Amino acid sequence: MPAYDPNNIFAKILRGELPSHKVYEDERAFAFLDIMPRAPGHTLVIPKSPARNLLDVSSDDLAHVAGVVQKVARAARTAFDADGVTIQQFNESAGGQVVFHLHFHIIPRKEGVAMKPPASAKEKPEALAEHARKLAAALAAS
Ligand code: 5GP
């Protein structure tokens, strides 16, 4: 497996070199909105440690990130009145991974509503700001 590339987009977001719509942060994890959401509220949860994907992350960091995924998924259900939540995670190009910093997708779902195809459209910044605000409020209340 190739080495971790510190210039990947999510590493730049973690270092504050690129903007993001933050949903949650603690000492080991960061959550922010996907710019091309497959449904409103589509969030990405990442470790702060330099892990390429599930195959090289430490089990401690993975356990911590899994806890944050659950926290955000619960908040997403409340904030978006979701009937369900889809969690996705891809490893290496053959596994569907495009950005090579470990991330979990959290996608709030409505009964009978299909997800948009991957990378179909960039969401408006105002909509992302509103969705991040709703998620952060649900997290604060949890
Ligand atoms: P994956 O690697 O799991 O296949 O997909 C990477 C995800 O990152 C995609 O859902 C894509 O929309 C999202 N993405 C790509 N570039 C950016 C970016 O600059 N900012 C944010 N917030 N998301 C991004």
Side-chain angles (χ1 to χ4, degrees):
M1 193 163 83
Y4 179 80
D5 173 8
N7 287 319
N8 74 76
I9 294 170
F10 295 167
K12 289 181 179 176
I13 286 175
L14 275 176
R15 291 196 294 268
E17 294 166 10
L18 289 175
S20 69
H21 292 275
K22 179 165 109 172
V23 167
Y24 174 86
E25 180 172 15
D26 63 28
E27 70 288 353
R28 290 168 77 179
F30 190 76
F32 57 105
L33 292 181
D34 197 299
I35 43 163
M36 292 177 273
R38 300 191 64 185
H42 181 169
T43 302
L44 302 170
V45 177
I46 67 176
K48 289 188 171 177
S49 58
R52 187 173 160 88
N53 55 43
L54 191 86
L55 304 173
D56 65 338
V57 69
S58 74
S59 54
D60 272 6
D61 280 326
L62 180 60
H64 182 81
V65 166
V68 175
V69 168
Q70 184 185 46
K71 209 190 278 268
V72 173
R74 287 175 170 160
R77 188 175 56 177
T78 309
F80 289 88
D81 195 25
D83 302 310
V85 181
T86 297
I87 308 293
Q88 291 182 322
Q89 193 280 315
F90 305 112
N91 301 283
E92 298 301 323
S93 301
Q97 186 174 14
V98 174
V99 178
F100 295 97
H101 182 110
L102 172 63
H103 54 280
F104 287 82
H105 297 258
I106 299 171
I107 307 169
R109 303 294 304 279
K110 293 279 196 187
E111 200 66 59
V113 179
M115 288 193 290
K116 287 187 199 163
S120 45
K122 269 195 182 171
E123 183 55 279
K124 295 184 196 71
E126 315 85 72
L128 291 176
E130 172 59 11
H131 294 166
R133 191 199 59 72
K134 279 170 72 168
L135 279 162
L139 278 162
S142 66

